[in-house]
Amino acid sequence: MPIAAELERLLIVPRWSGHAQSDYYPWLRERVRALGFAGELDTVELVPPSAPDVAATVAAVRERLGAATEAARTLVLGHSVGAAAVLRAVAELPEGTSVGAMVLVAGWWTIDEPWPTIVPWIETPFAWERARASARRRVVLLSDDDPYTADAVLGRKRFEERIEADVRIHEGAKHFNAEQEPAVLEAVQALLGLA
């Protein structure tokens, strides 16, 4: 059975200081619904949004992913620090539990010029091998001019090697903070099997 037929929920984990109504998230939900997605649309708030704590935010995402049957039908989308939270939450799922798919938008392993409150997100180790094994599909969207991670080619290499992701580098997308992000919609639309 194609994975799209099994995905019945889109769960969004926003960027640093992001929320359900910021960036492209409202537009993405609206477009996905207009394309015929009848499933659940949900957002996890970072804990706290202005300076997300690693343990608290990862726990919130993991809890929202739910039990094995709920996680398996979920496409989880993480944006920037939300992508880091998704990777960690998926890595902590119980053995035998997996998410249907994950899309990591403006994902990173490190930041070019880290600020103090983001350092724990870079330095706290996690079992990325488990994240790879616990997500049936893995898509990463990077930009060639992201102001936080200048080397998209290195980012691509790390995501391909560590989690065997399908990595796509987009020109001029910066940090994917626009009110409309067609590249994000395209990735989600393909995974959900929407026309």
Side-chain angles (χ1 to χ4, degrees):
M1 175 184 298
I3 193 167
E6 300 172 15
L7 296 176
E8 300 172 355
R9 181 167 71 136
L10 173 60
L11 179 63
I12 299 172
V13 185
R15 64 163 172 84
W16 195 278
S17 295
H19 53 82
Q21 299 307 314
S22 67
D23 303 272
Y24 58 86
Y25 317 135
W27 172 81
L28 179 65
R29 289 191 305 270
E30 179 183 297
R31 292 300 307 138
V32 165
R33 193 63 84 208
L35 289 167
F37 182 67
E40 180 184 347
L41 300 172
D42 198 6
T43 304
V44 177
E45 295 296 325
L46 304 176
V47 186
S50 60
D53 175 76
V54 176
T57 298
V58 170
V61 174
R62 193 178 57 248
E63 180 181 328
R64 204 63 149 277
L65 286 172
T69 54
E70 191 171 20
R73 65 182 188 84
T74 300
L75 164 55
V76 61
L77 182 150
H79 181 191
S80 188
V81 77
V86 166
L87 279 169
R88 286 163 172 75
V90 169
E92 292 181 8
L93 289 173
E95 190 70 36
T97 301
S98 63
V99 294
M102 65 180 167
V103 175
L104 308 177
V105 180
W108 43 263
W109 297 94
T110 188
I111 299 291
D112 295 344
E113 296 179 25
W115 54 95
T117 50
I118 203 163
V119 170
W121 286 96
I122 298 167
E123 294 182 351
T124 303
F126 72 102
W128 46 261
E129 303 88 349
R130 287 270 303 125
R132 178 182 60 222
S134 298
R136 294 190 352 243
R137 294 282 308 275
R138 299 159 304 281
V139 175
V140 177
L141 305 179
L142 304 176
S143 175
D144 66 351
D145 65 348
D146 191 311
Y148 301 104
T149 55
D151 194 342
V153 174
L154 177 60
R156 165 184 266 163
K157 181 179 178 186
R158 286 180 175 163
F159 278 108
E160 288 174 344
E161 289 176 352
R162 294 179 181 180
I163 65 166
E164 297 176 5
D166 171 8
V167 182
R168 304 164 192 173
I169 298 177
H170 295 273
E171 287 184 30
K174 299 204 181 299
H175 202 58
F176 295 89
N177 292 114
E179 289 183 7
Q180 297 182 10
E181 289 291 355
V184 178
L185 175 61
E186 181 182 315
V188 169
Q189 185 177 347
L191 287 166
L192 294 177
L194 303 172

